[in-house]
């Protein structure tokens, strides 16, 4: 007889961390309260571009309480550097406090410390920054205008980098095309808006020469490495802790100047220093995202086959290159993923990062893919319309069906369910498509259905970053699994969990390999002292790479447990299985030893171990991504209802069919997808970081920077197809970002369907929809 | 995002509040729910040196005196929904209340606060203008009764003098049955309106005996639709007539143009929403 071992991978396990998160006992960065602490407020530039004449701090002398103030002159050459190692790149360097020139509104100019955060904010107001205005670069046209001087000294133009990617014979595709469809698309500037803003606390303890930095970050080890290099301290004497992190979404997936500066200030003042970012700073000066302009030209045969694609990609990346993904990150990613899930073998893309006097661009959930898929999937609908084909039929005609598939740029796609997802969504939407058709001539109410079919390269690792030549350099994730004498397990995880539910999913993975209850697995993360070196949590890599590493490290321990059990049961370790907290003979489960007994023997009663076995139950594994990553796929569909006279859009339905390979925990996957979709709806309809002509940000509070709220959201329906990847030990692909990728193109396609017009820009605000429906009201648009 | 230093005073009586406000003049501000004032202070857009907390004053009564319904300045928005006198006599007011912010804002925010803040796109200033309300303001020098049409001077600017505060809003109870409605369009539910339209009708069957229409969000203060109101009198209210009234109203205003909404779109919304609000008011008859 065989034992029944319910698998934990795939089980709907309630998240362990929720007890703490939902009961108010979780400790976030602002909960770190140290005695004798100084509070930091930045005096930030109010001018978008100007030469600093003077930073006058004399008013602080008479303020009536102690203050400490530092300007760019006081900090030596400390700066943020993020260079892509290619000859075309023009480098930018951002001093931690601006020295000669300010290049965007919100750039830190002076650091003001006081013994109370109210007092430091009052004092920072009294720092007078005298600047001579310089001409601003505020638009992509201005950035490409040779008559406007570059914003960085020694630069030849305001282009950080311009490069090309190509594959196949595009000339032949063009020559053989029966249809050439060219469109230009634009996605607005946004920001990622974690619920908790950034924050850093640092303390230097001279006794053990230890610098401890608490930061609300997604990448504690990288923060440590950067601080070590910039402040010239040994990494072994720096401990970086990410406490509870209230959302990151990629915004906290870079190393920030503030993190380095707070550490430096703590050493300089020999007192703990704390900086808690406020919402205004977060909106104007943390990290911005999107801001893409694409022109695509597709070459299509008479029969409706895609033959080739030409792309021109510009991204306004703001004033400085950010660490570690650099100014080249977004445009490079857009060019790389533009071929998408479709079968064609000729492609050419020119992509460039343009500088402007705006907040630097960084990573935000999806990283360029929301914009790339927007252009790709809007174009698919436009081509279908032009050649008179149903948009789903047209996609099915061109979709990749055979795997592994080597795409036009040489990337190999592992198996997925591209065609099945499309078929499935067509079935789900049949009634909506029919209902939409009936409103086609209405001047009052229009219904539209739109979809976006996409793939996402996930679990990418070192090979991908080596190709990109960016300072992230590496991509493996490490896990150290230690079984304790009582049979419970501690995992030191190189990932950092800020909403992904990793404390639960990683425990599920370990539990399966070790045959124990996931409740007996405690996942420690976000602390460089207790976690093995890794690059942090971002890029839809945690599930597959973290999960794979935990699985493989756990298997090493499982192997040792089996060896001990075999020794005691006078069996062979190949005959032993682990499950239900027991090590048992596979063919006779009545003969078993509790795993906790084995653990005790491995760690305490070591005299019972087999001859020569070294005590201990500890194993570490570092798992890197496969050469080209693994490719998740999904189809998102939106059903919209538009009140034509007012332009009011109602999202009636939002459906996701997704395939992320093996699902570790369906509750977590559904939550990730829904959360991402909500952010994608924000991109589609509301969120817009608006600057005026002088590059002054206008949307500097939540009254102006609008995010979707509950009343604007439909129930988000999530359907799963599971195609485990052979490239990962547990078959998992990444899924953290996918939710945010599909909504903007799906909704834009739905609006296009409803109104019968091209929809080439986001966000689709009231004004935008009203303008797009002018023809229905009989006005010239 | 922390307020500049201020002193906090809790007034135990109206007299004490008024005397404190008189003492502080331009540097003092009364505070009730703080739904607008506190965010503005946190952004340091408002920097009162003294806050006079009026929450414990007895200014939260809703009472009828003869032909007047008086609402105290401290009446919280959520109470409008449970007040039979509002439902009976001021259906447009009740309809508008649904568009005010979110439940938390409606629980804490006060009538006097919203009126004194005078956001151009807020519902309550518009409702006051629509219903020809009288704003009752007091200071140590006594009481002033200011018609709503004269109270709102510009965006965030009212006729209140330093040291003066709103103590009540008086609404004249109509002689005959009135029908009313309020509709607005905003990017998201609970946001300040791009355009909000309130309408009150006195009807004989489908024939309009009297009409009042007001708009929030178009100009720097709420505006009335004199020409459209005049046009409607004596006419049978149909979709076409309602559209025409909307056109007349739209022609008579000069909408603001900002980065979120063009003047053109606002003008268009005035036409559409005036028409819809009039029809909704009429349909509420049933």
């Amino acid at each position: 007889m065989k034992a029944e071992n319910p698998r934990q991978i795939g089980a709907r396990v309630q998240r362990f961390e929720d007890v703490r998160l939902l009961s108010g006992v979780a400790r976030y960065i602002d909960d770190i309260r140290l005695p004798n602490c100084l509070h930091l407020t930045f005096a930030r530039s109010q001018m978008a571009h100007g030469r600093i004449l003077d930073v006058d701090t004399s008013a602080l002398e008479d303020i009536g309480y102690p203050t400490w103030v530092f300007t760019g002159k006081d900090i030596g050459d400390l700066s943020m550097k993020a260079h892509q190692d290619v000859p075309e790149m023009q480098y930018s360097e951002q001093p931690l406090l601006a020295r000669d020139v300010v290049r965007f509104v919100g750039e830190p100019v002076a650091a003001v410390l006081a013994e109370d955060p109210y007092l430091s904010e009052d004092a920072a107001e009294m720092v007078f920054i005298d600047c001579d205005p310089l001409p601003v670069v505020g638009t992509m046209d201005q950035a490409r205008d040779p008559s406007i001087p570059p914003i960085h000294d020694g630069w030849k133009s305001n282009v950080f980098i311009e490069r090309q990617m190509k594959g196949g014979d595009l000339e032949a595709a063009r020559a053989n095309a029966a249809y050439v469809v060219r469109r230009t698309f634009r996605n607005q500037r946004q920001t990622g808006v974690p619920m908790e803003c950034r924050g850093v606390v640092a303390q230097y303890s001279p006794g053990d020469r230890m610098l401890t930095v608490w930061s609300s970050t997604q990448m504690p080890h990288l923060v440590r490495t950067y601080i070590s290099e910039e402040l010239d301290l040994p990494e072994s004497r720096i401990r970086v802790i990410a406490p509870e992190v209230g959302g990151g979404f990629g915004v906290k997936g870079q190393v920030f100047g503030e993190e380095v500066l707070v550490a430096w200030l703590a050493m300089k003042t020999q007192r703990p220093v704390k900086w808690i970012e406020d919402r205004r700073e977060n909106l104007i000066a943390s990290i911005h995202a999107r801001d893409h302009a694409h022109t695509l030209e597709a070459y299509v045969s008479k029969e409706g086959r895609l033959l080739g694609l030409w792309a021109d990609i510009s991204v306004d990346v703001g004033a400085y290159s950010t660490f570690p993904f650099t100014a080249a990150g977004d445009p490079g990613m857009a060019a790389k993923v533009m071929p998408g899930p479709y079968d064609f073998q000729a492609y050419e893309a020119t992509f460039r990062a343009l500088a402007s006097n705006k907040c630097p661009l960084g990573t935000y959930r999806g990283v360029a893919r929301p914009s790339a898929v927007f252009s790709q999937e809007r174009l698919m609908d436009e081509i279908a319309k032009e050649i008179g084909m149903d948009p789903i039929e047209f996609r099915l005609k061109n979709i990749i069906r055979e795997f592994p598939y080597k795409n036009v740029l040489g990337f190999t796609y592992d198996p997925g369910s591209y065609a099945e997802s499309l078929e499935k969504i067509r079935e789900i939407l049949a009634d909506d498509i029919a209902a939409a058709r009936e409103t086609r001539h209405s001047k009052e109410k229009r219904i539209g259905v739109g979809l976006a079919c996409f793939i996402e390269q996930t679990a990418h690792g070192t090979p991908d970053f080596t190709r990109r030549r960016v300072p992230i350099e590496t991509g493996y994730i490490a896990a150290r699994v230690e079984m304790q004498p009582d049979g419970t397990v501690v995992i030191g995880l190189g990932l950092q969990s800020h909403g992904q539910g990793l404390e639960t999913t990683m425990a599920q993975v370990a539990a399966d390999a070790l045959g124990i209850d996931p409740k007996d697995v405690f996942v420690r993360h976000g602390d460089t002292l207790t976690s093995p070196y890794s690059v942090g949590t971002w890029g839809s890599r945690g599930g597959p790479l973290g999960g794979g590493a935990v699985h493989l490290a756990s298997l090493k321990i499982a192997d040792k447990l089996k060896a001990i059990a075999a020794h005691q049961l006078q069996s062979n370790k190949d005959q032993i299985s682990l499950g239900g907290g027991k090590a048992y003979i596979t063919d006779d489960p009545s003969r078993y030893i509790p795993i906790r007994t084995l653990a005790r023997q491995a760690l305490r009663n070591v005299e019972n171990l087999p001859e020569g076995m070294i005590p201990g139950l500890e194993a570490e594994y570092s798992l890197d991504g496969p050469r080209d990553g693994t490719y998740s796929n999904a189809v998102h569909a939106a059903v919209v209802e538009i009140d034509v006279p007012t332009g009011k859009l109602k999202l009636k339905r939002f459906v996701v069919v997704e395939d992320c390979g093996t699902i570790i925990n369906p509750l977590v996957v559904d939550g990730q997808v829904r959360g991402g979709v909500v952010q994608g709806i924000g991109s589609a309809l509301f969120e817009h970081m608006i600057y005026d002509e002088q590059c002054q940000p206008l949307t500097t509070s939540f009254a102006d920077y609008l995010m979707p709220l509950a009343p604007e959201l439909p129930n988000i329906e999530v359907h799963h197809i599971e195609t485990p990847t052979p490239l990962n030990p547990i078959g998992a692909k990444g899924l953290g970002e996918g939710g945010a990728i599909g909504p903007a193109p799906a909704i834009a396609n739905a609006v296009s369907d409803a109104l019968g017009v091209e929809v080439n820009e986001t966000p689709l605000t009231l004004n935008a929809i009203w303008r797009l429906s002018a023809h229905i009201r009989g006005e010239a648009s | 995002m922390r307020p500049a230093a201020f002193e906090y005073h809790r007034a135990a009586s109206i007299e004490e509040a008024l005397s404190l406000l008189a003492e502080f003049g331009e540097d003092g501000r009364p505070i009730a729910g703080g739904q607008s004032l506190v965010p503005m202070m946190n952004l340091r857009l408002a920097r009162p040196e003294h806050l006079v907390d009026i929450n414990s004053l007895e200014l939260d009564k809703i009472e009828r005196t003869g032909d007047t319904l008086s609402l105290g300045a401290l009446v919280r928005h959520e109470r409008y929904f449970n007040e039979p006198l509002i439902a009976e006599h001021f259906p447009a007011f009740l309809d508008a209340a649904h568009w005010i912010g979110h439940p938390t804002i409606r629980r804490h925010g006060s009538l006097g606060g919203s009126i004194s803040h005078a956001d151009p796109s807020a519902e309550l200033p518009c409702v006051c203008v629509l219903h020809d309300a009288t704003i009752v303001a007091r200071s140590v020098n006594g009481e002033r009764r200011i018609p709503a049409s004269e109270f709102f001077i510009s965006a965030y600017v009212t006729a209140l003098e330093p040291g003066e505060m709103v103590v009540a809003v008086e609404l004249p109870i109509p002689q005959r049955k009135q029908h009313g409605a309020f509709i607005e369009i905003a990017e998201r539910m609970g946001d300040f309106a791009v355009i909000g339209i309130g309408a009150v009708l006195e009807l004989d069957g489908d024939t309009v005996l009297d009409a009042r229409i007001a708009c929030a969000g178009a100009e720097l203060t709420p505006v009335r639709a004199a020409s459209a109101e005049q046009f409607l009198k004596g006419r049978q209210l149909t979709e076409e007539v309602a559209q025409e009234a909307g056109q007349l109203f739209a022609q008579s205003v000069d909408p603001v143009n900002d980065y979120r909404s063009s003047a053109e779109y606002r003008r268009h919304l005035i036409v559409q929403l005036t028409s819809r609000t009039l029809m909704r008011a009429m349909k509420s008859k049933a």
Side-chain angles (χ1 to χ4, degrees), chain B residues 69-277:
Chain B
L69 183 67
S70 171
L71 299 114
L74 282 178
V75 170
R76 313 290 163 164
H77 307 315
E78 64 177 12
R79 280 180 60 201
Y80 311 142
F81 302 104
N82 302 315
E83 188 47 59
L85 288 170
I86 293 179
E88 189 185 339
H89 299 294
F90 304 101
F93 188 132
L94 184 64
D95 218 20
H98 291 94
W99 295 96
I100 301 171
H102 305 279
T104 317
I105 292 172
R106 296 200 286 264
R107 165 146 299 183
H108 294 283
S110 68
L111 175 59
S114 174
I115 303 293
S116 310
H117 182 56
D119 189 294
S121 52
E123 294 82 7
L124 291 171
C126 182
V127 164
C128 286
V129 167
L130 176 69
H131 287 296
D132 293 319
T134 300
I135 315 297
V136 185
R138 275 177 67 180
S139 71
V140 287
N141 301 323
E143 192 170 279
R144 281 206 299 154
R145 306 169 61 75
I146 310 162
S149 57
E150 294 166 23
F151 183 80
F152 302 104
I153 291 174
S154 185
Y156 313 108
V157 181
T158 67
L160 288 175
E161 304 279 349
E164 205 173 29
M165 73 172 191
V166 173
V167 292
V169 171
E170 291 179 356
L171 300 171
I173 293 175
Q175 302 293 319
R176 282 172 300 198
K177 173 73 187 162
Q178 305 213 330
H179 306 281
F182 192 100
I183 297 179
E184 74 178 44
I185 290 277
E187 291 288 347
R188 304 173 304 180
M189 187 179 279
D191 281 340
F192 282 114
V194 176
I195 289 294
I197 300 281
V200 175
L201 294 174
E202 220 176 278
L203 294 165
D204 178 11
D206 288 352
T207 305
V208 178
L209 301 180
D210 194 21
R212 272 174 289 164
I213 308 169
C215 173
E219 297 186 3
L220 299 179
T221 62
V223 281
R224 280 279 290 271
S227 54
E229 292 173 5
Q230 197 54 43
F231 164 80
L232 286 168
K233 269 182 207 167
R235 282 198 155 77
Q236 267 197 315
L237 186 58
T238 60
E239 296 268 2
E240 292 69 33
V241 166
Q243 275 280 340
E244 208 166 325
Q247 297 284 2
L248 280 171
F249 193 5
Q251 283 158 22
S252 70
V253 294
D254 183 14
V256 293
N257 191 31
D258 59 27
Y259 65 85
R260 204 164 282 295
S261 280
S262 65
E264 197 193 357
Y265 178 54
R266 285 196 166 92
R267 197 185 294 281
H268 171 85
L269 280 183
I270 292 170
V271 180
Q272 296 303 324
L273 295 191
T274 298
S275 151
R276 284 185 188 186
T277 309

Side-chain angles (χ1 to χ4, degrees), chain A residues 244-275:
Chain A
E244 206 77 75
V245 173
F249 310 119
V251 170
K252 296 172 183 172
Q254 17 258 317
V255 179
F256 286 101
E258 286 95 338
E259 289 167 315
V260 184
L261 187 71
V262 170
W264 182 82
L265 287 168
M267 299 190 69
K268 184 82 180 168
T269 60
Q270 292 289 304
R271 288 178 68 170
V273 173
K274 181 178 197 173
W275 170 66

